[in-house]
Each structure stands twice: as C-alpha cells, then as structure tokens.
Amino acid sequence: MASVPKPDLGAARQDLYRKIEKHNFAPLWEVYHELIPDQPVTRCKPAIWKWADSRPYLMEAGRLITAKEALRRVLVLQNPGMRGESCITQSLFAGLQLILPGEVAPSHRHTQSALRFVVEGTGAYTAVDGERSMMNPGDFIITPSWTWHDHGNPGSEPVIWLDGLDLPILRAFAAQFHEPYPEEVQPISRGEGASLARYGNNLKPLGAVAPFGKTSPIFSYPYSRSRETLSKLAKEGDPDACHGWKLEFTNPLTGGPAMPTIGTFIQLLPKGFRTSPYRSTDGTVFQVAEGKGKVSIGGEEFSFGPKDTFVAPSWHPVTLETKEECVLFSYSDRPAQLALGLWREQRDG
Ligand code: GTQ
C-alpha cells in the first residue's frame, strides 16, 4: 500500500528542492511525464506561409539590404510555436532567399547541410566546391556540409528559393563550424552539369570516391527530370492512398537519402484527390510547386496554392485534398531519425 503523505511532507519536499537547487540538482519525479511523454510532444505548430505575403516582404527586404551586406538575404520562416528560435520544426530551419540581378552572396562553408528548392525566377546560380549550377523553378539543389558555396545572379530577374537547413540539429549537438572563403566568389574548376553527368545517369566513374562524404555527389536535381518522372509514374499505376505518387531524392552511390540528416521528397497528386490521413514522427515542410488544394494538419485546415510553404509537425495527421493536379516538394529529418532507429509512421492515423 502506498503510504499516505503526512501534512508536512509537501513543505519538507519544497525545502529539499530549494536546498538541492543551489547545488544544481532537481527532482526527476516532478517532471517525469513531461520528459517521457506517451507520444511525441512538440511546440511546433501547423502553419502556412502564403506566397502573396512572402514575395512582397522579400522584395521590400531587397530594397533595404544588399545580399552582400546581409551575407544571405533570407526571411526566416518562424514556427509560430517557437518564435525567436529560427526554426520551422524543432529540428529544421526554413527560409526564403532572394538574390537580385547583379548580386553575389559571398562564398563560405559551414557544417550545416542546406537544400534549396527554387521557387521563382531564372538566371541565378549556386556554386558548390568549384561547380556552378543554374537555378530554375522546381530544381532541388544541395549544399553538402562543409562545402564552399556562393550564389550569384548574373541574369535580369529576381530569383527566390526556399532554403532548408539542419541548423537546429547541429545546434543540439553543438557541432557548428563556419568559415568565410578568402574571396567573394570561389573559382570554378568544373563545367556546369559535370556532377550530374558523372553520377546522375545510372552510371558512375570506376573507383568513384564520394566527393561529399555522406551527401549525394549530385548536388543539383533539375525539376525537368523529377517532373517528367512523376508524370510517367502517374500514367503507369495507381496513386498511393496517403501520398499520391511520392518519391525520395536519393544518393546514387548508396541508394540512401540524398542528404544524411534531411529527407527530400517530391510528390504528384491528381486533381480531385483526397489522401487518407497519415502521420509520422518526422515533422515535414512542404513547398507547393504546382497546383491548389486544402491540407488538414492535426485537424487545422489551410488552403494552399502555388509557391506557398506549410509545415506539418511530428505525429500530426495530414490529409491533402487537391483542387488541381498538385506537385509538392517536402523535406524532414527522416534520415536522422532512421539512422538512430527512431522513425515511426502510421497510415490512416
Ligand atoms: O545560403 O548559405 O537560409 O548559410 C541560412 C544560412 C542560407 C546559405 C540560409 C546559410 C544560407
């Protein structure tokens, strides 16, 4: 039988807590269920960023600060449940980056991995360890950890892309390093498309050594190819009830995820399709490449259209309903969770 607390026990406990606090102790039993919840708990909330807001604010920022002064002219997509923490989920960063004609975002490297999903404009490039890739809407581009990178816009239109970084993960591990390149723009040592030619055609050079370690040696996955693949798939079979036709970007040297910490996906949903509810432990950021529809995230409904960004927190059921054929790019921390044996999913959840 549990002993019945004596009337003065509460006061004695408080007394103990006060004493031990000075010596950097705390009682686990007061916070046990908060620390070990029955299922995922996060301050991350479902949210949407509408392009009709994003674009004018970015252009206003473009009039107020140069890419050079800002280093990166980015509006951070702040999760409304985690303001001031520069994150869209507890493990991921998202931002919209603008580069204007004639600008350069200076070269640097950092241990955070970054992805870019091009939203609008043509004529800008990103350079990774000596190779440039032009950026076109829908292209998925990787900046592997600790690779030199700069962006430039020799074209005539503003170019905007979504940045995804694993910055909160590196912050959690305190494993962040950053270094500026001695010049503003790094020298080019390979022709455009060299990486894609070497690794992106179901062929690889003999004795290929992964140039970017655990990250895919292809750093630019053009939209033309992903879109064509989705269109072909859609003619060949039925859509998955939860995802439509959904594909993961892979590292051709391993068959695994293109990035070691961030999972990257592209999916096609036919017009008038309603997905079965789905949830997983990887909170996911979605960028609308094409189409319109509605999404329900943990019971909250949002209408979305082209170029909008929305976020589904961990373990919140997601249902998508399309008004038009839709293409969605998405990213999450799934590879990190899988590597640690933590990832779970529930269909019809
Ligand atoms: O383009 O290198 O959104 O370093 C945040 C940090 C973009 C980048 C971001 C970065 C970059």
Short mmCIF file of all heavy atoms in Angstrom, two decimals, residues 71-72 74 97 99 104-116 125-133 135 141-152 161 163-166 177-188 212 219:
data_model
loop_
_atom_site.label_atom_id
_atom_site.label_comp_id
_atom_site.label_asym_id
_atom_site.label_seq_id
_atom_site.Cartn_x
_atom_site.Cartn_y
_atom_site.Cartn_z
N LEU A 71 24.86 38.98 -46.11
CA LEU A 71 25.51 37.67 -46.34
C LEU A 71 24.54 36.74 -47.07
O LEU A 71 24.84 36.21 -48.12
CB LEU A 71 26.03 37.02 -45.06
CG LEU A 71 27.12 37.78 -44.32
CD1 LEU A 71 27.54 37.03 -43.06
CD2 LEU A 71 28.33 38.04 -45.21
N ARG A 72 23.36 36.54 -46.47
CA ARG A 72 22.29 35.83 -47.16
C ARG A 72 21.01 36.63 -46.86
O ARG A 72 20.67 36.83 -45.69
CB ARG A 72 22.12 34.41 -46.61
CG ARG A 72 23.34 33.50 -46.81
CD ARG A 72 23.63 33.23 -48.28
NE ARG A 72 24.71 32.27 -48.50
CZ ARG A 72 25.97 32.60 -48.80
NH1 ARG A 72 26.35 33.88 -48.87
NH2 ARG A 72 26.87 31.66 -49.03
N VAL A 74 17.65 36.50 -46.39
CA VAL A 74 16.69 35.41 -46.14
C VAL A 74 15.64 35.88 -45.15
O VAL A 74 15.98 36.48 -44.12
CB VAL A 74 17.44 34.18 -45.56
CG1 VAL A 74 16.46 33.10 -45.12
CG2 VAL A 74 18.45 33.61 -46.57
N GLN A 97 15.01 32.85 -49.66
CA GLN A 97 16.18 33.67 -50.01
C GLN A 97 15.95 34.37 -51.34
O GLN A 97 15.50 33.75 -52.31
CB GLN A 97 17.44 32.79 -50.06
CG GLN A 97 18.69 33.57 -50.42
CD GLN A 97 20.02 32.92 -50.04
OE1 GLN A 97 21.07 33.48 -50.33
NE2 GLN A 97 20.00 31.78 -49.39
N ILE A 99 17.82 36.78 -54.32
CA ILE A 99 19.04 37.36 -54.90
C ILE A 99 18.63 38.16 -56.13
O ILE A 99 17.93 37.67 -57.01
CB ILE A 99 20.12 36.29 -55.15
CG1 ILE A 99 21.43 36.94 -55.57
CG2 ILE A 99 19.68 35.21 -56.12
CD1 ILE A 99 22.65 36.08 -55.28
N VAL A 104 25.81 39.16 -55.58
CA VAL A 104 26.56 37.97 -55.20
C VAL A 104 26.34 37.76 -53.70
O VAL A 104 26.40 38.70 -52.91
CB VAL A 104 28.06 38.18 -55.50
CG1 VAL A 104 28.91 37.18 -54.72
CG2 VAL A 104 28.35 38.06 -56.98
N ALA A 105 26.05 36.52 -53.32
CA ALA A 105 26.02 36.17 -51.89
C ALA A 105 27.36 35.48 -51.63
O ALA A 105 27.64 34.43 -52.21
CB ALA A 105 24.84 35.26 -51.59
N PRO A 106 28.23 36.10 -50.80
CA PRO A 106 29.64 35.70 -50.73
C PRO A 106 29.87 34.25 -50.29
O PRO A 106 29.09 33.67 -49.55
CB PRO A 106 30.23 36.69 -49.73
CG PRO A 106 29.09 37.39 -49.07
CD PRO A 106 27.89 37.23 -49.92
N SER A 107 31.00 33.73 -50.74
CA SER A 107 31.33 32.32 -50.52
C SER A 107 31.71 32.03 -49.07
O SER A 107 32.44 32.80 -48.44
CB SER A 107 32.50 31.94 -51.44
OG SER A 107 32.57 30.55 -51.55
N HIS A 108 31.20 30.92 -48.58
CA HIS A 108 31.55 30.45 -47.23
C HIS A 108 31.26 28.96 -47.14
O HIS A 108 30.74 28.36 -48.08
CB HIS A 108 30.80 31.25 -46.16
CG HIS A 108 29.30 31.04 -46.13
ND1 HIS A 108 28.44 31.77 -45.34
CD2 HIS A 108 28.47 30.18 -46.81
CE1 HIS A 108 27.20 31.37 -45.51
NE2 HIS A 108 27.18 30.41 -46.40
N ARG A 109 31.62 28.38 -46.02
CA ARG A 109 31.21 26.98 -45.79
C ARG A 109 30.85 26.82 -44.32
O ARG A 109 31.31 27.55 -43.45
CB ARG A 109 32.31 26.00 -46.21
CG ARG A 109 33.59 26.11 -45.43
CD ARG A 109 34.58 25.03 -45.91
NE ARG A 109 35.88 25.18 -45.28
CZ ARG A 109 36.91 24.36 -45.50
NH1 ARG A 109 36.80 23.35 -46.34
NH2 ARG A 109 38.05 24.56 -44.89
N HIS A 110 29.97 25.86 -44.07
CA HIS A 110 29.55 25.57 -42.70
C HIS A 110 29.18 24.10 -42.60
O HIS A 110 28.93 23.44 -43.63
CB HIS A 110 28.41 26.48 -42.24
CG HIS A 110 27.36 26.78 -43.28
ND1 HIS A 110 26.46 25.83 -43.71
CD2 HIS A 110 27.09 27.91 -43.98
CE1 HIS A 110 25.67 26.38 -44.61
NE2 HIS A 110 26.03 27.64 -44.81
N THR A 111 29.15 23.61 -41.37
CA THR A 111 28.87 22.18 -41.19
C THR A 111 27.38 21.87 -41.32
O THR A 111 27.01 20.71 -41.49
CB THR A 111 29.41 21.67 -39.83
OG1 THR A 111 29.05 22.60 -38.81
CG2 THR A 111 30.91 21.49 -39.86
N GLN A 112 26.54 22.91 -41.26
CA GLN A 112 25.12 22.69 -41.52
C GLN A 112 24.93 22.32 -42.99
O GLN A 112 25.52 22.96 -43.86
CB GLN A 112 24.32 23.97 -41.22
CG GLN A 112 24.25 24.35 -39.77
CD GLN A 112 25.43 25.20 -39.32
OE1 GLN A 112 26.40 25.39 -40.04
NE2 GLN A 112 25.36 25.70 -38.11
N SER A 113 24.14 21.33 -43.27
CA SER A 113 23.78 21.00 -44.65
C SER A 113 22.62 21.89 -45.06
O SER A 113 21.75 22.20 -44.23
CB SER A 113 23.31 19.55 -44.77
OG SER A 113 24.34 18.65 -44.44
N ALA A 114 22.59 22.25 -46.34
CA ALA A 114 21.49 23.09 -46.83
C ALA A 114 20.90 22.48 -48.09
O ALA A 114 21.60 21.81 -48.86
CB ALA A 114 21.98 24.51 -47.12
N LEU A 115 19.61 22.72 -48.26
CA LEU A 115 18.96 22.41 -49.54
C LEU A 115 18.30 23.67 -50.05
O LEU A 115 17.97 24.57 -49.27
CB LEU A 115 17.93 21.29 -49.37
CG LEU A 115 16.67 21.57 -48.56
CD1 LEU A 115 15.58 22.23 -49.38
CD2 LEU A 115 16.14 20.28 -47.96
N ARG A 116 18.16 23.72 -51.35
CA ARG A 116 17.44 24.84 -52.00
C ARG A 116 16.37 24.23 -52.87
O ARG A 116 16.63 23.25 -53.59
CB ARG A 116 18.36 25.66 -52.91
CG ARG A 116 19.83 25.65 -52.54
CD ARG A 116 20.14 26.59 -51.45
NE ARG A 116 21.51 26.48 -50.96
CZ ARG A 116 21.95 27.12 -49.91
NH1 ARG A 116 21.12 27.91 -49.22
NH2 ARG A 116 23.19 26.99 -49.52
N TYR A 125 22.73 31.43 -60.13
CA TYR A 125 23.42 30.15 -59.96
C TYR A 125 23.79 29.98 -58.50
O TYR A 125 23.84 30.94 -57.72
CB TYR A 125 24.70 30.10 -60.81
CG TYR A 125 25.75 31.09 -60.35
CD1 TYR A 125 26.62 30.79 -59.28
CD2 TYR A 125 25.87 32.34 -60.95
CE1 TYR A 125 27.55 31.71 -58.84
CE2 TYR A 125 26.80 33.26 -60.51
CZ TYR A 125 27.64 32.94 -59.44
OH TYR A 125 28.55 33.86 -59.00
N THR A 126 24.03 28.73 -58.13
CA THR A 126 24.70 28.46 -56.86
C THR A 126 25.93 27.65 -57.22
O THR A 126 25.92 26.85 -58.16
CB THR A 126 23.77 27.73 -55.87
OG1 THR A 126 24.40 27.71 -54.59
CG2 THR A 126 23.47 26.32 -56.28
N ALA A 127 27.03 27.90 -56.50
CA ALA A 127 28.28 27.17 -56.77
C ALA A 127 28.60 26.33 -55.55
O ALA A 127 28.44 26.78 -54.41
CB ALA A 127 29.40 28.16 -57.03
N VAL A 128 29.01 25.09 -55.80
CA VAL A 128 29.39 24.17 -54.72
C VAL A 128 30.75 23.57 -55.08
O VAL A 128 30.88 22.91 -56.12
CB VAL A 128 28.32 23.06 -54.54
CG1 VAL A 128 28.83 21.98 -53.59
CG2 VAL A 128 27.01 23.63 -54.02
N ASP A 129 31.74 23.81 -54.23
CA ASP A 129 33.09 23.26 -54.41
C ASP A 129 33.55 23.25 -55.86
O ASP A 129 33.91 22.22 -56.41
CB ASP A 129 33.16 21.84 -53.82
CG ASP A 129 33.54 21.86 -52.33
OD1 ASP A 129 33.73 22.98 -51.77
OD2 ASP A 129 33.63 20.78 -51.73
N GLY A 130 33.49 24.43 -56.48
CA GLY A 130 34.08 24.58 -57.81
C GLY A 130 33.17 24.32 -58.99
O GLY A 130 33.61 24.40 -60.13
N GLU A 131 31.90 23.99 -58.73
CA GLU A 131 30.97 23.78 -59.85
C GLU A 131 29.72 24.63 -59.67
O GLU A 131 29.14 24.67 -58.59
CB GLU A 131 30.59 22.28 -59.94
CG GLU A 131 29.68 21.97 -61.13
CD GLU A 131 29.35 20.48 -61.27
OE1 GLU A 131 30.18 19.63 -60.87
OE2 GLU A 131 28.25 20.18 -61.76
N ARG A 132 29.33 25.27 -60.74
CA ARG A 132 28.10 26.08 -60.69
C ARG A 132 26.92 25.31 -61.24
O ARG A 132 27.06 24.52 -62.16
CB ARG A 132 28.27 27.36 -61.52
CG ARG A 132 29.03 28.42 -60.79
CD ARG A 132 29.06 29.71 -61.59
NE ARG A 132 29.91 30.67 -60.89
CZ ARG A 132 30.27 31.85 -61.37
NH1 ARG A 132 29.85 32.24 -62.56
NH2 ARG A 132 31.04 32.66 -60.66
N SER A 133 25.75 25.59 -60.67
CA SER A 133 24.52 25.07 -61.23
C SER A 133 23.56 26.24 -61.38
O SER A 133 23.33 26.98 -60.42
CB SER A 133 23.92 24.01 -60.31
OG SER A 133 22.64 23.65 -60.79
N MET A 135 19.95 27.93 -61.56
CA MET A 135 18.77 27.59 -60.76
C MET A 135 17.51 27.89 -61.56
O MET A 135 17.34 29.01 -62.03
CB MET A 135 18.77 28.40 -59.47
CG MET A 135 20.03 28.19 -58.63
SD MET A 135 20.07 29.32 -57.22
CE MET A 135 19.55 28.25 -55.90
N ILE A 141 18.41 21.58 -55.07
CA ILE A 141 19.88 21.74 -55.07
C ILE A 141 20.40 21.55 -53.65
O ILE A 141 19.78 22.01 -52.68
CB ILE A 141 20.25 23.14 -55.62
CG1 ILE A 141 19.84 23.21 -57.10
CG2 ILE A 141 21.73 23.43 -55.46
CD1 ILE A 141 19.88 24.59 -57.70
N ILE A 142 21.52 20.84 -53.54
CA ILE A 142 22.08 20.55 -52.21
C ILE A 142 23.39 21.30 -52.00
O ILE A 142 24.23 21.38 -52.91
CB ILE A 142 22.38 19.04 -52.06
CG1 ILE A 142 21.13 18.21 -52.31
CG2 ILE A 142 22.98 18.73 -50.70
CD1 ILE A 142 21.39 16.71 -52.34
N THR A 143 23.55 21.85 -50.82
CA THR A 143 24.86 22.34 -50.39
C THR A 143 25.33 21.39 -49.29
O THR A 143 24.88 21.49 -48.14
CB THR A 143 24.77 23.77 -49.83
OG1 THR A 143 24.07 24.59 -50.77
CG2 THR A 143 26.15 24.34 -49.58
N PRO A 144 26.20 20.42 -49.63
CA PRO A 144 26.63 19.46 -48.61
C PRO A 144 27.42 20.15 -47.48
O PRO A 144 28.02 21.20 -47.69
CB PRO A 144 27.54 18.50 -49.39
CG PRO A 144 27.19 18.69 -50.84
CD PRO A 144 26.80 20.13 -50.95
N SER A 145 27.38 19.52 -46.32
CA SER A 145 28.10 20.00 -45.15
C SER A 145 29.56 20.32 -45.52
O SER A 145 30.22 19.53 -46.20
CB SER A 145 28.04 18.89 -44.09
OG SER A 145 28.83 19.23 -42.97
N TRP A 146 30.03 21.50 -45.07
CA TRP A 146 31.43 21.89 -45.19
C TRP A 146 31.92 22.03 -46.63
O TRP A 146 33.10 21.81 -46.92
CB TRP A 146 32.32 20.94 -44.37
CG TRP A 146 33.59 21.60 -43.88
CD1 TRP A 146 34.88 21.20 -44.14
CD2 TRP A 146 33.69 22.76 -43.06
NE1 TRP A 146 35.77 22.05 -43.54
CE2 TRP A 146 35.07 23.03 -42.85
CE3 TRP A 146 32.76 23.63 -42.47
CZ2 TRP A 146 35.53 24.10 -42.09
CZ3 TRP A 146 33.21 24.70 -41.70
CH2 TRP A 146 34.57 24.92 -41.52
N THR A 147 31.03 22.37 -47.56
CA THR A 147 31.46 22.67 -48.92
C THR A 147 31.36 24.18 -49.14
O THR A 147 30.44 24.82 -48.64
CB THR A 147 30.59 21.95 -49.98
OG1 THR A 147 29.20 22.25 -49.73
CG2 THR A 147 30.79 20.45 -49.93
N TRP A 148 32.34 24.71 -49.89
CA TRP A 148 32.31 26.14 -50.23
C TRP A 148 31.11 26.41 -51.10
O TRP A 148 30.85 25.65 -52.05
CB TRP A 148 33.58 26.54 -50.98
CG TRP A 148 34.84 26.38 -50.18
CD1 TRP A 148 35.84 25.50 -50.41
CD2 TRP A 148 35.22 27.15 -49.02
NE1 TRP A 148 36.83 25.66 -49.47
CE2 TRP A 148 36.48 26.66 -48.60
CE3 TRP A 148 34.63 28.19 -48.29
CZ2 TRP A 148 37.15 27.16 -47.49
CZ3 TRP A 148 35.30 28.69 -47.19
CH2 TRP A 148 36.54 28.18 -46.80
N HIS A 149 30.38 27.46 -50.78
CA HIS A 149 29.25 27.81 -51.65
C HIS A 149 28.99 29.30 -51.68
O HIS A 149 29.15 29.99 -50.67
CB HIS A 149 27.98 27.05 -51.23
CG HIS A 149 27.56 27.27 -49.81
ND1 HIS A 149 28.19 26.69 -48.74
CD2 HIS A 149 26.55 28.01 -49.28
CE1 HIS A 149 27.59 27.05 -47.61
NE2 HIS A 149 26.60 27.86 -47.91
N ASP A 150 28.65 29.77 -52.87
CA ASP A 150 28.20 31.15 -53.05
C ASP A 150 27.10 31.13 -54.09
O ASP A 150 26.96 30.17 -54.83
CB ASP A 150 29.38 32.05 -53.47
CG ASP A 150 30.24 31.43 -54.57
OD1 ASP A 150 29.82 31.46 -55.74
OD2 ASP A 150 31.32 30.89 -54.24
N HIS A 151 26.31 32.19 -54.07
CA HIS A 151 25.22 32.30 -55.03
C HIS A 151 25.43 33.60 -55.80
O HIS A 151 25.94 34.58 -55.25
CB HIS A 151 23.86 32.36 -54.33
CG HIS A 151 23.71 31.43 -53.16
ND1 HIS A 151 23.81 30.06 -53.29
CD2 HIS A 151 23.47 31.66 -51.84
CE1 HIS A 151 23.63 29.50 -52.10
NE2 HIS A 151 23.43 30.45 -51.20
N GLY A 152 25.01 33.62 -57.04
CA GLY A 152 25.14 34.84 -57.84
C GLY A 152 23.99 34.95 -58.81
O GLY A 152 23.38 33.94 -59.18
N TRP A 161 14.38 31.35 -53.68
CA TRP A 161 14.28 29.92 -53.40
C TRP A 161 14.03 29.68 -51.92
O TRP A 161 14.26 30.56 -51.08
CB TRP A 161 15.51 29.16 -53.88
CG TRP A 161 16.81 29.55 -53.24
CD1 TRP A 161 17.29 29.09 -52.05
CD2 TRP A 161 17.79 30.46 -53.75
NE1 TRP A 161 18.52 29.65 -51.80
CE2 TRP A 161 18.85 30.49 -52.82
CE3 TRP A 161 17.89 31.26 -54.91
CZ2 TRP A 161 19.98 31.29 -53.01
CZ3 TRP A 161 19.02 32.06 -55.08
CH2 TRP A 161 20.04 32.05 -54.14
N ASP A 163 15.16 27.81 -48.64
CA ASP A 163 16.33 27.18 -48.02
C ASP A 163 15.85 26.25 -46.92
O ASP A 163 15.02 26.64 -46.09
CB ASP A 163 17.19 28.24 -47.32
CG ASP A 163 18.10 29.00 -48.26
OD1 ASP A 163 18.56 28.42 -49.25
OD2 ASP A 163 18.35 30.19 -47.99
N GLY A 164 16.40 25.04 -46.88
CA GLY A 164 16.14 24.12 -45.75
C GLY A 164 17.48 23.75 -45.15
O GLY A 164 18.39 23.35 -45.90
N LEU A 165 17.64 23.93 -43.87
CA LEU A 165 18.91 23.57 -43.22
C LEU A 165 18.65 22.73 -41.97
O LEU A 165 17.58 22.83 -41.35
CB LEU A 165 19.72 24.81 -42.81
CG LEU A 165 20.48 25.56 -43.92
CD1 LEU A 165 19.58 26.57 -44.61
CD2 LEU A 165 21.72 26.25 -43.39
N ASP A 166 19.67 21.94 -41.60
CA ASP A 166 19.57 21.12 -40.39
C ASP A 166 20.16 21.86 -39.18
O ASP A 166 20.67 21.24 -38.25
CB ASP A 166 20.29 19.78 -40.61
CG ASP A 166 21.73 19.96 -41.06
OD1 ASP A 166 22.22 21.11 -41.10
OD2 ASP A 166 22.38 18.94 -41.38
N PHE A 177 30.41 24.65 -37.27
CA PHE A 177 31.61 25.38 -37.68
C PHE A 177 31.25 26.20 -38.92
O PHE A 177 30.43 25.76 -39.73
CB PHE A 177 32.76 24.43 -38.01
CG PHE A 177 33.30 23.69 -36.81
CD1 PHE A 177 32.78 22.45 -36.46
CD2 PHE A 177 34.30 24.25 -36.02
CE1 PHE A 177 33.25 21.76 -35.35
CE2 PHE A 177 34.78 23.57 -34.90
CZ PHE A 177 34.27 22.33 -34.57
N HIS A 178 31.88 27.37 -39.04
CA HIS A 178 31.64 28.26 -40.18
C HIS A 178 32.95 28.92 -40.55
O HIS A 178 33.76 29.24 -39.66
CB HIS A 178 30.60 29.32 -39.81
CG HIS A 178 30.51 30.46 -40.80
ND1 HIS A 178 31.31 31.58 -40.70
CD2 HIS A 178 29.75 30.62 -41.90
CE1 HIS A 178 31.02 32.40 -41.72
NE2 HIS A 178 30.08 31.84 -42.45
N GLU A 179 33.15 29.14 -41.83
CA GLU A 179 34.38 29.78 -42.31
C GLU A 179 34.06 30.58 -43.56
O GLU A 179 33.44 30.04 -44.48
CB GLU A 179 35.37 28.66 -42.66
CG GLU A 179 36.81 29.07 -42.70
CD GLU A 179 37.73 27.85 -42.92
OE1 GLU A 179 37.33 26.87 -43.58
OE2 GLU A 179 38.85 27.89 -42.46
N PRO A 180 34.49 31.86 -43.64
CA PRO A 180 34.32 32.58 -44.90
C PRO A 180 35.41 32.18 -45.88
O PRO A 180 36.53 31.86 -45.47
CB PRO A 180 34.46 34.05 -44.49
CG PRO A 180 35.25 34.04 -43.23
CD PRO A 180 35.10 32.69 -42.58
N TYR A 181 35.08 32.21 -47.17
CA TYR A 181 36.09 31.96 -48.20
C TYR A 181 36.90 33.25 -48.34
O TYR A 181 36.35 34.34 -48.19
CB TYR A 181 35.40 31.60 -49.53
CG TYR A 181 36.33 31.05 -50.57
CD1 TYR A 181 36.79 29.74 -50.49
CD2 TYR A 181 36.76 31.84 -51.64
CE1 TYR A 181 37.66 29.22 -51.45
CE2 TYR A 181 37.63 31.34 -52.60
CZ TYR A 181 38.08 30.04 -52.50
OH TYR A 181 38.93 29.53 -53.44
N PRO A 182 38.21 33.16 -48.62
CA PRO A 182 39.00 34.39 -48.72
C PRO A 182 38.55 35.35 -49.82
O PRO A 182 38.81 36.54 -49.75
CB PRO A 182 40.43 33.89 -48.95
CG PRO A 182 40.36 32.41 -49.15
CD PRO A 182 39.02 31.94 -48.69
N GLU A 183 37.89 34.85 -50.85
CA GLU A 183 37.36 35.73 -51.90
C GLU A 183 35.84 35.70 -51.84
O GLU A 183 35.26 34.77 -51.29
CB GLU A 183 37.75 35.23 -53.30
CG GLU A 183 39.09 34.55 -53.41
CD GLU A 183 40.18 35.52 -53.82
OE1 GLU A 183 39.89 36.33 -54.71
OE2 GLU A 183 41.27 35.47 -53.22
N GLU A 184 35.26 36.72 -52.51
CA GLU A 184 33.79 36.78 -52.51
C GLU A 184 33.18 35.62 -53.31
O GLU A 184 32.18 35.03 -52.93
CB GLU A 184 33.38 38.10 -53.16
CG GLU A 184 32.07 38.62 -52.70
CD GLU A 184 31.92 40.08 -53.05
OE1 GLU A 184 32.36 40.93 -52.26
OE2 GLU A 184 31.39 40.34 -54.15
N VAL A 185 33.83 35.32 -54.44
CA VAL A 185 33.33 34.26 -55.33
C VAL A 185 34.42 33.20 -55.47
O VAL A 185 35.58 33.54 -55.73
CB VAL A 185 32.99 34.87 -56.72
CG1 VAL A 185 32.52 33.79 -57.69
CG2 VAL A 185 31.92 35.95 -56.58
N GLN A 186 34.06 31.94 -55.32
CA GLN A 186 35.07 30.88 -55.44
C GLN A 186 35.39 30.59 -56.90
O GLN A 186 34.54 30.78 -57.78
CB GLN A 186 34.57 29.61 -54.75
CG GLN A 186 33.35 29.01 -55.41
CD GLN A 186 32.91 27.71 -54.77
OE1 GLN A 186 33.68 26.77 -54.65
NE2 GLN A 186 31.66 27.68 -54.34
N PRO A 187 36.59 30.13 -57.18
CA PRO A 187 36.94 29.79 -58.57
C PRO A 187 36.18 28.56 -59.05
O PRO A 187 35.79 27.70 -58.25
CB PRO A 187 38.44 29.51 -58.51
CG PRO A 187 38.75 29.23 -57.09
CD PRO A 187 37.70 29.90 -56.25
N ILE A 188 35.95 28.51 -60.34
CA ILE A 188 35.21 27.40 -60.96
C ILE A 188 36.23 26.42 -61.54
O ILE A 188 37.14 26.81 -62.26
CB ILE A 188 34.31 27.96 -62.09
CG1 ILE A 188 33.28 28.92 -61.50
CG2 ILE A 188 33.62 26.84 -62.85
CD1 ILE A 188 32.49 28.37 -60.37
N PHE A 212 31.39 14.22 -51.56
CA PHE A 212 30.78 14.99 -50.47
C PHE A 212 30.46 14.10 -49.27
O PHE A 212 29.47 14.33 -48.56
CB PHE A 212 29.51 15.71 -50.95
CG PHE A 212 29.70 16.61 -52.15
CD1 PHE A 212 28.78 16.61 -53.18
CD2 PHE A 212 30.80 17.46 -52.25
CE1 PHE A 212 28.93 17.43 -54.29
CE2 PHE A 212 30.98 18.29 -53.35
CZ PHE A 212 30.05 18.28 -54.38
N PHE A 219 24.63 17.42 -56.83
CA PHE A 219 24.12 18.48 -55.94
C PHE A 219 22.98 19.26 -56.56
O PHE A 219 22.39 20.10 -55.92
CB PHE A 219 25.26 19.37 -55.43
CG PHE A 219 25.84 20.29 -56.46
CD1 PHE A 219 25.37 21.59 -56.58
CD2 PHE A 219 26.84 19.85 -57.31
CE1 PHE A 219 25.90 22.44 -57.53
CE2 PHE A 219 27.37 20.70 -58.27
CZ PHE A 219 26.90 21.99 -58.38
#
